[in-house]
């Protein structure tokens, strides 16, 4: 699609979204230049790192650790928004009835991740927790493959994802994959005690793990948008800090 065609599509969207959900109007203003062109240019001289991994693998802890680093800005996953959008809790609803609410949650995840990807960073390096790519390739895929998402919902999300990734620059320079066993995540998830997640069985974490492995290790499922740095994250906090220090140079050079 040409830039002007994409800009016209964006303008049509702006007219359709009369009461935009939190954050969407600021995304639109970021995507549109004052001359109405879609921003297809990369933020020159800046790099983006996405920290990927299973639920409770230690991504937030990793971002917290790097948050004191000079010239690096961390952007955590917008889970708070997924738990409370104008008084509604799409994350909780999804765990209660994935077939009914999976599309609702994943549509909102896609929007809020787009917001994070396109948010300008004040620092040369932006470190994000997960990405719009894993939202689609791992979580939407898991809902669909496990028979919990109707095909029409999957197809609609896929069309949205394809349009977004084709027309907006969401490039990533490095993926840091915190590789864990599902059992480790299960223990950490129980320890964290997020209310909505009390229903998650080990099998769910195993399915998410399998999809991450196919995507980032076997590279047999979907395109991998950046080089991958794999970190064994089945370790204690002290050992993780050691890993982070050993890899600091590679991460910051992304
Ligand atoms: N290496 C580790 N060893 C033990 N516990 C950890 C480790 N990393 C994180 N945790 C704990 O596990 C839970 C999940 O970690 P978190 O960073 O929130 O994971 P994520 O952001 O990937 O969901 C938290 O309670 C956190 O304190
Ligand atoms: N696309 C996504 C992304 C995340 N989730 C769920 C999984 C967890 O319950 C929660 C936050 O994940 P964490 O940062 O703790 O790994 O959100 C989802 O369902 N779909």
């Amino acid at each position: 699609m040409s830039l002007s065609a994409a800009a016209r599509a964006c303008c049509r969207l702006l007219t359709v979204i009369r009461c935009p959900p939190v954050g969407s109007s600021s995304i639109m203003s970021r995507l549109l230049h004052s001359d109405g062109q879609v921003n297809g240019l990369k933020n020159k001289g800046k790099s983006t790192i996405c920290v990927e991994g299973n639920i409770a693998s230690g991504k937030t802890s990793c971002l917290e650790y790097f948050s004191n680093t000079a010239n690096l800005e961390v952007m955590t996953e917008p889970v708070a928004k997924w738990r409370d959008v104008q008084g509604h809790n799409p994350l909780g609803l999804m765990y209660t009835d994935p077939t009914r609410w999976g599309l609702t949650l994943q549509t909102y995840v896609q929007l809020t991740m787009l917001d994070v990807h396109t948010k300008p960073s004040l620092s040369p390096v932006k470190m994000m927790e997960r990405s719009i790519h894993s939202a689609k390739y791992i979580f939407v895929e898991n809902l669909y493959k496990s028979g919990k998402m109707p095909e029409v919902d999957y197809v609609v999300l896929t069309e949205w994802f394809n349009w977004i990734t084709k027309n907006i620059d969401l490039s990533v320079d490095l993926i840091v994959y915190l590789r864990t066993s599902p059992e480790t995540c299960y223990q950490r998830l129980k320890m964290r005690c997020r209310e909505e997640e009390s229903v998650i069985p080990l099998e769910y974490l195993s399915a998410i793990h399998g999809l991450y492995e196919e995507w980032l290790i076997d590279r047999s499922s979907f395109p991998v948008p950046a080089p991958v740095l794999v970190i064994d994250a089945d370790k204690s906090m002290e050992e993780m800090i050691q890993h982070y220090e050993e890899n600091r140079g590679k991460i910051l050079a992304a």
Side-chain angles (χ1 to χ4, degrees):
M1 183 185 285
S2 71
L3 279 182
S4 57
R8 280 198 302 279
C10 254
C11 288
R12 279 201 302 279
L13 267 178
L14 275 175
T15 354
V16 171
I17 305 171
R18 295 199 192 283
C19 298
V22 179
S24 65
S25 57
S26 64
I27 295 177
M28 280 303 178
S29 63
R30 256 179 260 141
L31 300 182
L32 290 168
H33 287 311
S34 52
D35 62 0
Q37 285 206 330
V38 169
N39 182 359
L41 298 175
K42 184 161 165 56
N43 207 354
K44 289 253 175 329
K46 302 217 173 187
S47 62
T48 302
I49 301 161
C50 294
V51 178
E52 294 285 355
N54 206 339
I55 303 169
S57 55
K59 300 176 300 298
T60 310
S61 309
C62 170
L63 263 72
E64 242 171 70
Y65 181 73
F66 279 100
S67 63
N68 295 324
T69 305
N71 297 323
L72 182 147
E73 186 175 357
V74 300
M75 296 192 188
T76 49
E77 216 176 22
V79 184
K81 289 184 181 177
W82 307 344
R83 302 174 85 186
D84 182 1
V85 48
Q86 300 186 26
H88 298 275
N89 182 349
L91 182 71
L93 288 169
M94 190 278 295
Y95 281 121
T96 312
D97 185 352
T99 305
R100 169 65 184 86
W101 299 110
L103 175 69
T104 308
L105 173 69
Q106 295 306 333
T107 304
Y108 194 49
V109 168
Q110 197 155 270
L111 171 68
T112 53
M113 290 312 296
L114 180 57
D115 185 36
V116 181
H117 274 283
T118 57
K119 197 170 271 174
S121 168
L122 300 173
S123 302
V125 183
K126 165 156 126 184
M127 183 181 264
M128 291 176 56
E129 183 174 1
R130 288 217 182 97
S131 61
I132 198 165
H133 307 284
S134 55
K136 175 68 171 66
Y137 299 151
I138 306 296
F139 287 92
V140 173
E141 198 61 24
N142 184 51
L143 280 165
Y144 179 58
K145 276 181 96 167
S146 61
K148 295 195 178 85
M149 177 174 274
E151 186 165 338
V152 61
D153 293 3
Y154 179 74
V155 167
V156 167
L157 275 167
T158 303
E159 293 273 318
W160 263 107
F161 178 78
N162 290 346
W163 191 92
I164 290 167
T165 50
K166 189 171 163 199
N167 291 288
I168 300 166
D169 180 6
L170 305 174
S171 53
V172 175
D173 299 281
L174 180 70
I175 292 174
V176 176
Y177 175 33
L178 300 185
R179 194 179 192 195
T180 46
S181 66
E183 289 76 14
T184 299
C185 291
Y186 191 65
Q187 278 172 11
R188 292 181 187 167
L189 181 133
K190 292 285 169 207
M191 198 168 65
R192 178 171 65 191
C193 269
R194 195 181 270 155
E195 204 183 324
E196 294 84 350
E197 295 173 346
S198 59
V199 294
I200 296 182
L202 176 60
E203 293 69 38
Y204 187 79
L205 299 176
S206 299
I208 298 291
H209 173 75
L211 287 166
Y212 261 117
E213 292 284 297
E214 282 171 20
W215 181 40
L216 297 179
I217 303 291
D218 308 338
R219 293 169 182 254
S220 58
S221 56
F222 296 104
V224 180
V228 181
L229 173 67
V230 183
I231 296 186
D232 177 2
D234 264 342
K235 307 284 182 196
S236 69
M237 221 42 225
E238 292 70 29
E239 287 168 300
M240 289 312 294
I241 289 172
Q242 219 175 316
H243 276 325
Y244 294 146
E245 286 310 320
E246 281 160 16
N247 287 291
R248 182 180 281 277
K250 278 189 209 160
I251 293 172
L252 295 181

